Each structure stands twice: as C-alpha cells, then as structure tokens.
Amino acid sequence: MTRTDSRVTIHMAASLDGFIARKDGRVDWLETSDEFAGGDTMDPESVAAFLKTIDCYVMGSRTYETALSFEAKGFGWAYGGTPTFVLTRRELPRTRETVEFYSGDLTQFVNDRLRTKFRTIWFVGGGVVSGECLRLGLADEVRYSILPILIGDGIPFFEKLDRDVALHVAEVKAYKSGTVELRYQVRKVGVPNG
Ligand SMILES: NC(=O)c1ccc[n+]([C@@H]2O[C@H](COP(=O)([O-])OP(=O)(O)OC[C@H]3O[C@@H](n4cnc5c(N)ncnc54)[C@H](OP(=O)(O)O)[C@@H]3O)[C@@H](O)[C@H]2O)c1
C-alpha cells in the first residue's frame, strides 16, 4: 500500500537563468565566489542531519554518469549509503550495492515501488527526469537552489513541460554563499494550497 505520508521532491541547483548544466554537461559554474552578508550559513552538522532525512534518490542516467565522473576525479559519491535509483534503458556500470537501475513506467515505479517503501523521495535531476516527473504529476514539492550567476545557455531545469504547473511558495532562504533556496509545493487541482 502507498504510504500516505510519502513525499516526492525535485531538487537541483540552477543558474539565475534556469540552467542546471552547460549544453555539454559541464557544471564548473556551481562554484561561485559571491558573499551575501545577510545570509544564513550552512553548517556541516545540520547539512548531514538533513541529508539523513532523505530515504532514497532518483536520477536520470546522464546525472548518474556525471556523478560517476565526479567520483573518478576524487570528489566522492554525493549520495552516501542511501538507496539510489537510476533511470536508464542502457546497460551502465553498477559501482555500489545501493544503486539500482530502472526502465519502464515511471508512474508505476514511483507509486507502487517507491511510495510504498520510502517516505522522503528525492529526484535529483537532470532536466529530462525532472520534466518527466512534473508532467506525470508525480512531484509534491520543488526545491530550487539559485546560484548567483547567469550562464546564457544550457540544459534547463525542466525539459519539455507541456502545460502550466501551479505552485505554492512554501519557503525562501538566502545563504552567505549567495545561493537562494526556494521551496514550492506543487498545487493539486481542487486542493487549496495543496
Ligand atoms: N545543477 C544541478 O543541480 C544538477 C543536478 C542534476 C544533474 N545536473 C546536470 O544535468 C545534466 C543531465 O541532465 P539531462 O537532463 O541531460 O539528463 P538526465 O535527466 O540526468 O538523464 C536523462 C536520461 O535518463 C534516462 N531516462 C529518463 N527517463 C527514463 C525512464 N522513464 N525510464 C528509463 N530511463 C529514463 C534516459 O537515459 P538512457 O539514454 O540511459 O535510457 C534519459 O536520456 C548533467 O550535465 C548533470 O551534471 C545538474
């Protein structure tokens, strides 16, 4: 049975002009040098405590390949020991036991496999997968971290949205690093602020 308290969140970092990576996939611009004096700080303990609340990650194959290349360069694996589901129709290297591949009906996968087992389900990109997740009406929440930079062109946060998606602003936070975090709830038709 589906857990009634399960939540699907889409989270990514983007440039102010709405791109999650350059056209060729580079994310070198994620390191910015801005400082916002009035902003909050992110202390490592609270970040670690927050990450513990995430029960599983879901990502597209291109995001997985980027994560593998980061790991190969010595930056580590960003998803710890948390179960990580990679959407792909290809054969990709499985580098750890926590990684599982899936290909097929995404609605069925989220509702029948993930929501029955996990409470906090995080879609971490990329643009193709987050667009698909919203189009299919699977997301409850969107977390958008805006970095203080414009990059002009790139891969958009949401690929191929074919309709409007009404949102409710739930939280706005600005950090010393200049990153602004926006949290929106996806409004379900007929449910006020729902
Ligand atoms: N700034 C950020 O926070 C952030 C976060 C995440 C990613 N990124 C960047 O975004 C880029 C990747 O984004 P992207 O939009 O190009 O690709 P993506 O969403 O990561 O991956 C798309 C791929 O996922 C697979 N896929 C999607 N839906 C599927 C389904 N229902 N069933 C099976 N497979 C499915 C397909 O791969 P196959 O061809 O393998 O079948 C598809 O080509 C990378 O450069 C990454 O670094 C940035």
Side-chain angles (χ1 to χ4, degrees):
M1 225 175 76
T2 300
R3 294 180 62 126
T4 49
D5 60 349
S6 69
R7 281 191 84 65
V8 172
T9 296
I10 298 172
H11 176 250
M12 281 191 284
S15 60
L16 179 62
D17 42 356
F19 301 113
I20 56 162
R22 297 192 196 276
K23 278 269 181 240
D24 61 6
R26 277 180 302 136
V27 287
D28 52 301
W29 51 274
L30 284 174
E31 290 296 323
T32 61
S33 56
D34 191 25
E35 207 181 306
F36 172 45
D40 290 345
T41 43
M42 284 193 220
D43 69 280
E45 291 80 26
S46 43
V47 172
F50 179 75
L51 291 178
K52 275 197 186 138
T53 67
I54 298 172
D55 297 324
C56 74
Y57 294 104
V58 182
M59 66 180 69
S61 63
R62 289 189 217 138
T63 298
Y64 176 61
E65 287 171 314
T66 304
L68 291 185
S69 75
F70 270 41
E71 194 179 20
K73 286 178 195 148
F75 296 111
W77 172 251
Y79 310 96
T82 305
T84 300
F85 298 94
V86 177
L87 305 177
T88 186
R89 296 170 192 95
R90 292 178 290 149
E91 289 281 327
L92 293 174
R94 184 173 180 235
T95 55
R96 50 188 29 84
E97 286 199 344
T98 49
V99 167
E100 203 178 300
F101 300 108
Y102 178 81
S103 159
D105 185 319
L106 191 58
T107 303
Q108 217 170 45
F109 180 60
V110 169
N111 292 338
D112 300 348
R113 287 248 344 251
L114 302 185
R115 283 196 192 268
T116 50
K117 191 167 174 199
F118 302 107
R119 186 166 164 269
T120 310
I121 302 159
W122 276 50
F123 273 66
V124 289
V128 168
V129 165
S130 63
E132 204 173 340
C133 180
L134 268 188
R135 252 191 336 271
L136 294 171
L138 300 174
D140 298 299
E141 189 177 78
V142 177
R143 287 178 181 247
Y144 202 125
S145 301
I146 302 178
L147 274 76
I149 191 164
L150 296 159
I151 62 170
D153 198 7
I155 299 172
F157 198 113
F158 303 105
E159 281 278 8
K160 297 195 186 112
L161 264 191
D162 53 1
R163 62 183 165 90
D164 296 351
V165 176
L167 303 169
H168 165 66
V169 183
E171 200 176 349
V172 178
K173 267 190 187 167
Y175 290 94
K176 278 217 164 13
S177 63
T179 298
V180 176
E181 283 205 1
L182 304 171
R183 182 164 69 85
Y184 296 94
Q185 283 157 7
V186 178
R187 295 172 78 156
K188 313 281 176 192
V189 178
V191 183
N193 284 349

